Amino acid sequence: MSASDHPMDDALTAYAEGRADGLAGARDEHRTGDPDYRTGLHDGQVAVFENDLLAAVRKALGED
């Protein structure tokens, strides 16, 4: 069986790899054309932003 026999697996793998790259602050320029990779990348970047924002709010409130 080839990878194309399981398109959902391919999509989930691309999303997971994109999310991992987003969390790491990296980007695979060769894969940014893949919408599943790009969605995962953006989700990872948003998760980092949320984490940083919450840390800044806690620090501002003196909860660090």
Side-chain angles (χ1 to χ4, degrees), residues 12-50:
L12 291 173
T13 298
Y15 173 86
E17 290 171 354
R19 189 167 195 284
D21 283 353
L23 290 170
R27 171 192 305 234
D28 183 345
E29 293 298 329
H30 299 285
R31 300 197 60 199
T32 56
D34 180 341
D36 298 313
Y37 175 85
R38 211 171 41 245
T39 299
L41 180 69
H42 293 162
D43 284 352
Q45 292 169 335
V46 167
V48 169
F49 172 78
E50 289 173 343

